[in-house]
Amino acid sequence: MNRQLMCVTCGSTYPLEARRLRCDCGGLLDVQIDMDSALSPEALAATFESRLPSHLPQDLSGVWRYRELVLDLPADDIVTFPEGRTNLYTLNPTPLGLSALWAKHEGENPTGSFKDRGMTVAVSWARHQGARALICASTGNTSASLAAYGARAHLPVFVLIPNGKIAQGKLAQALAYGAHTLQIDGGFDDAMHAVEQMATQHNLTLVNSLNPFRLEGQKTIILDSFFQLGNMLPDWIVVPGGNLGNTSAFGKALIEMKALGLINRVPRLAVIQAEGASPFARAAQGDFQHFEPMQPETVATAIRIGNPVNYDKAVRAIRFTNGIVTSVTDAEILQAKHDLDRQAIGCEPASAATLAGLRRLTREHVVHPGESALLIITGNLLKDPDTTIALATGQTAALGVQGAPSLDACANQPRHVPSDPETIARIIEEELQ
Ligand code: F0G
């Protein structure tokens, strides 16, 4: 399929190979697909299906399997682990009065977050274009993912992260995979501003979601879900919102799927932000007439973002899907994480914002009884061991979250026991009483 870059603000176009992050007018760029050259929906579905038994890396990948709708690249240029093809779990919908509730676990990707779906495309394209070095700003997961894909592509990686504000599992990954790790005095928004300036001036390839190729990969979360659910999508797709890359990618995926005839009915997007980092939710209240960045603070460090770069694309996604944006407190996020963890759909705090948001939206009669919903679980439980252990052991006070749920009653403390089998067996019997 033919592709070019197109500005979402003024409609100017550039060749796909143009090494630019924004339009001359400052607008965000899309990878625009020429729909006229697309296959029929039946032929597309059959092509994707035909790759399932294959053992070629580009077919095993739950991103490149959909390459007609992602990017055409020679197989040798593709940098893949492979990623995608994450599981979609059924949750009990009854407590929320829904007809069905699913969780798509993007924490099952190779580096434990959805970022891998975008990163395989951005890094493959960067290598194809002969990139010198790769760079990103990150609240943690993007840096972990880039570190891994950069190592696989044999390209130098630089990551800028907020000092002391990223979860340990993510920092461990960036360091272990050999990324040059720069901890800045400032938050994600400062890091994002710095990398965008430097990338253009110093010939570094930026792979944050400002890079439109990232979003082409992240569209496959929707494609994967559609085929896993038997060629359908639910009434609601619920996703946490930070830099709004997923929101933008999901909107684009749904616009394209509708135009291609893969879907007739468009599901509604529900974007959930943490109350302390909710500039998009605030803008939504005024129908996006006004946007005000904010100083972010939340226990969900992955979405501790006050000035999301993908704002314009995210507004398009909400408008196209008749979507909704809301926010939840850190206390609600922790309660939801606890509840998901206990069902072994473990996740990091940002991902739990989905369940917290869905609860709020059903309470507020935005989501109605009998409707169906899909939660996008964005990151793995092991990413944030500190929060996870505090929550599991009932030490929520240690997290400094106002109104944090008291989970003493279900605290799961490890017990120190002697090593003789008889004593251990007696303890087990007591527990089984
Ligand atoms: N959930 C997790 C686990 C994340 O890591 C992120 C973003 C989001 C949700 C929000 O997604 O930005 O597409 O709205 N993490 C980025 C990072 C910012 O640097 O890892 P978004």
Side-chain angles (χ1 to χ4, degrees):
M1 264 196 265
N2 295 325
R3 290 178 166 82
Q4 60 181 351
L5 297 176
M6 182 185 256
C7 174
V8 301
T9 306
C10 74
S12 295
T13 58
Y14 302 90
L16 198 63
E17 294 73 22
R19 293 169 187 239
R20 49 165 62 235
L21 289 167
R22 289 187 188 267
C23 176
D24 285 340
C25 80
L28 300 170
L29 295 173
D30 256 344
V31 174
Q32 194 212 19
I33 302 181
D34 171 17
M35 293 291 174
D36 293 342
S37 61
L39 297 172
S40 70
E42 295 78 19
L44 273 175
T47 305
F48 301 152
E49 176 89 18
S50 73
R51 293 179 180 140
L52 280 175
S54 163
H55 288 280
L56 295 172
Q58 65 270 31
D59 294 339
L60 279 171
S61 164
V63 172
W64 296 101
R65 182 157 86 84
Y66 305 109
R67 49 192 171 269
E68 284 74 10
L69 301 184
V70 174
L71 188 66
D72 291 320
L73 268 186
D76 287 350
D77 282 359
I78 292 178
V79 185
T80 177
F81 273 85
E83 51 291 307
R85 279 204 198 187
T86 54
N87 285 301
L88 200 144
Y89 299 98
T90 305
L91 303 181
N92 180 5
T94 316
L96 289 166
L98 301 173
S99 59
L101 178 60
W102 295 281
K104 174 106 175 121
H105 209 319
E106 288 299 299
E108 294 174 356
N109 272 296
T111 76
S113 85
F114 70 91
K115 304 286 178 181
D116 296 343
R117 291 191 186 254
M119 208 54 79
T120 182
V121 181
V123 172
S124 298
W125 181 249
R127 189 169 71 167
H128 178 75
Q129 288 212 299
R132 181 169 79 107
L134 308 171
I135 190 165
C136 74
S138 183
T139 56
N141 280 324
T142 303
S143 61
S145 183
L146 173 58
Y149 283 83
R152 214 153 162 81
H154 306 292
L155 282 170
V157 166
F158 294 85
V159 302
L160 267 69
I161 53 174
N163 198 6
K165 289 287 184 184
I166 85 166
Q168 287 295 301
K170 306 173 188 181
L171 180 60
Q173 289 176 293
L175 296 173
Y177 302 152
H180 301 277
T181 304
L182 311 174
Q183 297 185 287
I184 69 153
D185 297 326
F188 171 84
D189 301 298
D190 304 302
M192 189 65 231
H193 182 72
V195 289
E196 191 181 344
Q197 296 273 309
M198 285 184 307
T200 329
Q201 286 162 17
H202 295 274
N203 186 22
L204 302 164
T205 301
L206 180 70
V207 296
N208 280 100
S209 51
L210 184 61
N211 177 328
F213 292 90
R214 269 272 309 272
L215 301 188
E216 293 306 285
Q218 286 169 217
K219 289 188 317 194
T220 60
I221 297 174
I222 302 296
L223 288 163
D224 243 4
S225 304
F226 174 73
F227 291 112
Q228 281 171 314
L229 288 171
N231 294 9
M232 74 89 156
L233 286 169
D235 296 311
W236 291 92
I237 297 175
V238 190
V239 64
N243 216 14
L244 303 177
N246 263 344
T247 305
S248 304
F250 291 7
K252 188 168 188 287
L254 293 168
I255 290 169
E256 291 171 359
M257 288 169 81
K258 179 86 176 15
L260 289 165
L262 277 168
I263 53 171
N264 296 318
R265 192 186 53 89
V266 177
R268 298 180 72 183
L269 281 184
V271 177
I272 318 297
Q273 297 206 289
E275 213 163 81
S278 56
F280 191 48
R282 291 179 185 193
Q285 279 172 5
D287 198 25
F288 304 116
Q289 294 306 309
H290 180 67
F291 174 78
E292 186 81 43
M294 64 188 282
Q295 227 12 282
E297 197 49 81
T298 168
V299 72
T301 51
I303 50 174
R304 193 171 171 273
I305 296 174
N307 193 10
V309 293
N310 291 299
Y311 178 78
D312 289 337
K313 288 183 181 176
V315 172
R316 174 180 68 180
I318 294 300
R319 294 224 158 106
F320 179 73
T321 65
N322 187 25
I324 189 108
V325 192
T326 193
S327 62
V328 289
T329 64
D330 279 1
E332 288 175 297
I333 289 175
L334 291 180
Q335 182 67 58
K337 172 170 158 58
H338 177 263
D339 298 341
L340 284 167
D341 286 354
R342 284 294 159 97
Q343 296 174 69
I345 309 291
C347 64
E348 62 170 289
S351 313
T354 53
L355 178 60
L358 185 63
R359 283 175 172 162
R360 181 170 277 234
L361 292 172
T362 49
R363 240 181 7 248
E364 292 173 352
H365 309 292
V366 177
V367 174
H368 299 109
E371 291 189 312
S372 57
L374 169 65
L375 307 178
I376 308 300
I377 304 297
T378 46
N380 195 289
L381 172 145
L382 296 173
K383 291 282 191 173
D384 193 344
D386 295 338
T387 310
T388 298
I389 290 176
L391 209 52
T393 56
Q395 324 251 307
T396 46
L399 296 171
V401 169
Q402 236 196 354
S406 164
L407 300 169
D408 291 351
C410 38
N412 191 15
Q413 292 279 358
R415 285 174 64 177
H416 186 191
V417 298
S419 62
D420 72 292
E422 258 176 46
T423 315
I424 297 173
R426 184 173 46 73
I427 291 169
I428 291 173
E429 290 304 331
E430 277 167 20
E431 294 285 350
L432 286 173
Q433 287 304 302

